Amino acid sequence: MKKWLIPVGIIVALIAIIAFWSIGIKNTALQHSQAVNKDWGNVQTAYQRRNDLIGNLVNTVKGAANFEKETLTAVIEARAKATSVTVDPSNVTPEQLAQFNQAQSGVSSSLSRLLVSVEQYPTLKANENFLKLQDELASTENQILTARTRFNESVQVYNGYILKIPNSWFLSEYKEKPYFEASTGADKPVEVKF
């Protein structure tokens, strides 16, 4: 009677070990997925900060200079477009990320045109509020860069974890997530015209 208990005990122990091992793999994948979602939230927070600052910048510029309405309108429209594009980090696709990136690139482009136009207005350049907002925008752009970098690092860890064997055998419901990529043409230097 005892002879059959030993093999059954070994089989039960092996099943328990495999079950706990697969649970550990799934829990770690969930942690990595949540880290990607958190870092995507940080990217969106940085963009939101920039969008909030743009309103203040536009009002400061409006109040201190009566200059090219076209540039000011472009900034306002780019901001509105950028805030209308949303991405769900748990189901992000490369296409959604590209659309989001394109909208944010429009904001960056419009802001650079606005800041170049402002160079023509010495009184505005000397305005303390404008200089503070300009510094805040520069700081925000650095925060955006940092948030994007951290997001890509989280995606790398997540993708590496779910794609390696044997993890991929247990994680078929987890899909590879796309990286945040630079917008088309970002590899070329920005041309500034006065």
Side-chain angles (χ1 to χ4, degrees):
M1 200 98 117
K2 289 186 177 184
K3 287 184 180 184
W4 66 271
L5 282 177
I6 293 175
V8 169
I10 291 173
I11 291 171
V12 168
L14 284 175
I15 290 172
I17 289 170
I18 291 171
F20 285 118
W21 180 55
S22 68
I23 289 170
I25 288 173
K26 287 186 183 245
N27 286 341
T28 303
L30 179 64
Q31 286 175 336
H32 290 313
S33 179
Q34 290 302 308
V36 169
N37 293 349
K38 176 194 73 102
D39 285 335
W40 180 249
N42 291 342
V43 169
Q44 290 183 312
T45 299
Y47 280 126
Q48 184 62 51
R49 180 173 190 257
R50 178 174 69 178
N51 289 333
D52 293 345
L53 283 171
I54 288 171
N56 291 330
L57 175 64
V58 167
N59 289 334
T60 300
V61 171
K62 269 186 190 175
N66 185 11
F67 75 105
E68 301 165 16
K69 220 176 189 180
E70 180 182 312
T71 303
L72 197 58
T73 303
V75 171
I76 294 167
E77 287 173 358
R79 176 185 179 223
K81 185 176 179 184
T83 57
S84 69
V85 178
T86 57
V87 174
D88 176 11
S90 59
N91 297 318
V92 66
T93 65
E95 294 79 21
Q96 288 175 323
L97 206 52
Q99 183 184 15
F100 181 83
N101 196 22
Q102 184 179 15
Q104 295 303 328
S105 293
V107 174
S108 296
S109 174
S110 297
L111 271 178
S112 63
R113 283 196 307 270
L114 174 65
L115 294 174
V116 166
S117 296
V118 165
E119 292 293 322
Q120 301 168 6
Y121 298 90
T123 56
L124 185 59
K125 287 194 300 185
N127 181 314
E128 190 178 313
N129 290 336
F130 179 75
L131 293 175
K132 185 176 186 308
L133 281 170
Q134 208 173 7
D135 287 344
E136 287 292 327
L137 281 171
S139 170
T140 300
E141 292 300 321
N142 286 333
Q143 288 177 3
I144 290 170
L145 172 65
T146 301
R148 286 176 182 168
T149 302
R150 289 182 180 154
F151 171 75
N152 281 345
E153 289 168 354
S154 290
V155 168
Q156 178 189 14
V157 170
Y158 169 82
N159 286 346
Y161 186 80
I162 67 157
L163 295 175
K164 72 180 179 181
I165 295 177
N167 297 357
S168 61
W169 298 339
F170 297 100
L171 301 173
S172 60
E173 71 273 17
Y174 287 86
K175 303 298 178 215
E176 187 175 1
K177 296 189 186 226
Y179 289 95
F180 197 100
E181 295 180 7
S183 57
T184 307
D187 56 332
K188 295 176 179 51
V190 176
E191 186 178 329
V192 179
K193 294 180 182 178
F194 290 99

